[in-house]
Amino acid sequence: MTMLERLLGDRIKGGTLTVILPSSERSSVGSGEPHVTARIHDKKALLELARGPRLAFGELYMDGRITIEQGALIDLLSMVVGANRFEDGGHKGRLKKRFGLLKSLLPRRNDATASRRNVAHHYDLDERLYRLFLDPDLQYSCAYFRDPANSLVQAQEDKKAHIAAKLYLQPGQRVLDIGCGWGGMALYLNRVAGVEVLGVTLSEEQLRVARQRAEEAGVADKVRFELIDYRAVTGRFDRIVSVGMFEHVGAAHFGEFFATCKRLLTDDGVMLLHTIGKYGKAGKPDPFTDKWIFPGYHLPSLSQMMAASEEVRLIATDVETLRMHYGFTLRHWLANCDAHRAEIVALYDERFFRMWTFYLAAAAVAFEHGAMNNFQVQYVRDRRALPLTRDYMQEAEQRYRRPAS
Amino acid sequence: MTMLERLLGDRIKGGTLTVILPSSERSSVGSGEPHVTARIHDKKALLELARGPRLAFGELYMDGRITIEQGALIDLLSMVVGANRFEDGGHKGRLKKRFGLLKSLLPRRNDATASRRNVAHHYDLDERLYRLFLDPDLQYSCAYFRDPANSLVQAQEDKKAHIAAKLYLQPGQRVLDIGCGWGGMALYLNRVAGVEVLGVTLSEEQLRVARQRAEEAGVADKVRFELIDYRAVTGRFDRIVSVGMFEHVGAAHFGEFFATCKRLLTDDGVMLLHTIGKYGKAGKPDPFTDKWIFPGYHLPSLSQMMAASEEVRLIATDVETLRMHYGFTLRHWLANCDAHRAEIVALYDERFFRMWTFYLAAAAVAFEHGAMNNFQVQYVRDRRALPLTRDYMQEAEQRYRRPAS
């Protein structure tokens, strides 16, 4: 039995992994399809992997020091994470040892300057990149697959309807969209429900695109966008929607987030918070994602979110845990990236392409087998702000949903 | 301005309260309808009220040392609690001072013996009492009012359908009902969904009635009842339902509760937990309820429940906060008690009647203005145990709901 077989023998599930070492020695672990062959190009890579595989594997792949000779990266990741499913006990504290206590004890502070920097890091990437792998409406968050076979376009449309329905909208209401991205949700809410929307973002790229789209749609007076930290917004809003922004708030700022939202909501206001979260106790961030993709991000557990919102007396009226949807979404994005490899490499370079697709593949697998999911939490200030039952959601969702094409 | 006006002037809202003191002096506070007149019969009662009003008021009412001369007790309670709405900041820590730290620091232990004693205290009351104020199916938990004008009978039927729909039942499955009461839910699930049910209770009265009902319905082989602590149940179940039992578990035992449920669930199992809870941070129990009605009870906040269930990796897939429903339910129960006053007094005595109706009225008001609500939380062990969307709930609920009569 080779060293590799001893190391990985019980950490691979649902496929066969062949590893080609720098010495050209080959070892195989696992069994059955799919079959993935990975090559490790230099001896130092082995050492780096042994020291901290979570960060090292991504960086080695990015740098071309690990390459996939046969099969797909996502299948390799799936074999590894699938052998450590959240449901089966997951990583059982092994991670704790690995990443030390110190980092976890230091609160990660995202003040306005850091937030701006963190957002620019990711969202000021060229708009053309996002156009190459997202749906045409540029929804950069978990879609809603009523059927796994649905197209990404359909699933993103259905996501908007699903969220809009939970906002219990009335025509003429004022809506605040915190972290509005390229403006797709704000424009949608105005179109289907006749509400006025203020979208705020910290990305100049997103702001430019969003404003242009509102102009083109002839609704720039009803759907406005501002480059402003949500904590600096003034006034009060009948509704708040926030999709895929809470991930960047950071646990140290949860209280501030909910206090701000409460301040910005009218007494009979309703908020819908859509965020990636964790099934179990919230843990430390993935080191690759934190370093290369989303600096300062934090994925909350429900208990964390609830503790913070209870503190300011926001009432959680409805929680839905979207379990499989983000895995589907990410696999679509990854396939789109692969289909547009040449354009993405031309925009950036091969290394960027590998970094980007590693992030998407690793995230997909984390939603499929790991601790990641997507929470939709509805909040009110006053228990009487919503109808007695959730039936209005179903009714509104059907109304908003476009006829199947 | 009298002392009473100074004391109560800003603590009354939505009505007029006239108090007749032992000296026959009258003071009025508040304004408008409804008008309630209360008489305090002895001077010592004033002292007891000043010392700890939350417990004293209930006990003085129970003992006839405070009487309602005009209007309804529930309107008086509504004026007091309505002036301190949860949404407006509630009691703001005044309670903390009042009830001391010591009690809150001592964990309330509900081991099997204490649980048995606590349950017997309440649920071994004569079945005839419950028949006088509950619906004919003896549902002793929050009903589901699709319309506030619905009858209690209708709302309890709709509650059962609402819960059954969230269990995602398939014919032939084995269901465990933890805290089965008089067996209504277990019999319902068997009838509408063709499942086998084991109901467990700690009340001999409930066991006797539940078994008799299963016999009469000719389903005693499919719907079984046992007098057993849920922690002593063995085997595994496809589904677990628990309605109005978690309130008695106690915060010190939440971890044990969820660990036990996880052990009892099959890998692809689904659980629906229906419990009274608190909007804000879970606080100390109401002293009157704890002393006279439900010894050892604890109302959880969502953050408390989530923290405990995350610890054992149960996945919360859906949370619905039923906000107004229990207030409606309790007002029906109270009206039924009033309508059967003579029978209840004949079963027990006047003092019991006053204690019982005080509990129902105070609870109704706490759901209407205070921090109380009713959570329905759906749990799974495996993220794949449920369909992608919640649409199945709507579909099943309509199927289970009996045609409106």
Side-chain angles (χ1 to χ4, degrees), chain A residues 81-379:
Chain A
V81 183
N84 285 286
R85 294 175 70 232
F86 170 80
E87 282 89 338
D88 301 329
H91 305 280
K92 280 183 182 144
R94 288 212 306 269
L95 291 180
K96 265 185 209 149
K97 274 184 235 151
R98 212 150 263 165
F99 298 111
L101 264 174
L102 186 65
K103 210 171 160 189
S104 74
L105 292 173
L106 298 170
R108 295 146 61 81
R109 301 228 78 101
N110 288 328
D111 56 27
T113 314
S115 296
R116 184 71 182 278
R117 196 174 52 234
N118 290 341
V119 163
H121 176 91
H122 193 87
Y123 298 100
D124 279 349
L125 287 172
D126 200 303
E127 173 209 348
R128 285 173 296 175
L129 168 68
Y130 292 100
R131 289 216 184 272
L132 289 172
F133 76 93
L134 298 179
D135 66 305
D137 194 46
L138 297 173
Q139 289 293 314
Y140 191 28
S141 54
C142 179
Y144 184 69
F145 288 84
R146 305 185 65 238
D147 184 317
N150 280 357
S151 70
L152 179 62
V153 174
Q154 181 69 54
Q156 291 293 12
E157 279 298 300
D158 288 343
K159 184 261 296 283
K160 285 175 275 185
H162 197 59
I163 289 174
K166 291 182 179 183
L167 282 168
Y168 188 51
L169 298 165
Q170 318 294 332
Q173 284 182 328
R174 291 187 70 213
V175 181
L176 174 65
D177 181 356
I178 299 179
C180 62
W182 295 274
M185 179 61 76
L187 292 162
Y188 177 86
L189 295 179
N190 169 261
R191 189 167 69 245
V192 302
V195 291
E196 295 187 18
V197 189
L198 171 64
V200 299
T201 175
L202 291 178
S203 159
E204 294 186 19
E205 270 292 293
Q206 293 186 333
L207 180 76
R208 183 181 61 72
V209 174
R211 281 188 171 166
Q212 190 183 321
R213 293 176 69 186
E215 285 292 343
E216 285 167 8
V219 295
D221 58 327
K222 301 285 186 193
V223 184
R224 295 180 306 112
F225 296 99
E226 299 290 344
L227 188 76
I228 184 175
D229 192 288
Y230 77 100
R231 290 164 285 201
V233 175
T234 55
R236 295 178 82 190
F237 297 83
D238 303 299
R239 301 293 184 258
I240 294 178
V241 65
S242 187
V243 180
M245 175 274 184
F246 192 72
E247 296 87 329
H248 304 296
V249 168
H253 296 271
F254 283 179
E256 185 185 25
F257 176 86
F258 287 112
T260 304
C261 290
K262 187 172 182 185
R263 167 174 68 74
L264 291 167
L265 264 188
T266 56
D267 288 350
D268 59 350
V270 177
M271 168 160 117
L272 195 284
L273 185 54
H274 170 112
T275 180
I276 300 172
K278 292 247 189 162
Y279 287 124
K281 291 190 288 182
K284 278 151 284 293
D286 171 71
F288 182 84
T289 310
D290 191 43
K291 180 168 174 184
W292 292 101
I293 311 295
F294 293 113
Y297 87 113
H298 177 91
L299 303 184
S301 67
L302 266 186
S303 65
Q304 267 189 319
M305 290 172 71
M306 295 301 128
S309 54
E310 284 166 9
E311 191 67 44
V312 300
R313 298 188 177 223
L314 271 176
I315 296 174
T317 40
D318 182 79
V319 179
E320 181 178 8
T321 304
L322 299 175
R323 296 154 284 120
M324 310 310 298
H325 298 272
Y326 222 142
F328 298 150
T329 308
L330 282 154
R331 282 184 179 264
H332 276 279
W333 292 348
L334 187 60
N336 289 344
C337 281
D338 283 335
H340 294 282
R341 178 180 187 124
E343 293 111 301
I344 296 173
V345 169
L347 264 177
Y348 296 93
D349 57 23
E350 288 279 0
R351 186 165 180 264
F352 178 90
F353 182 84
R354 289 192 299 261
M355 177 190 84
W356 199 256
T357 48
F358 182 85
Y359 139 60
L360 295 176
V365 168
F367 282 99
E368 287 163 1
H369 304 295
M372 280 164 77
N373 62 41
N374 197 101
F375 295 124
Q376 290 190 340
V377 185
Q378 185 195 50
Y379 284 107

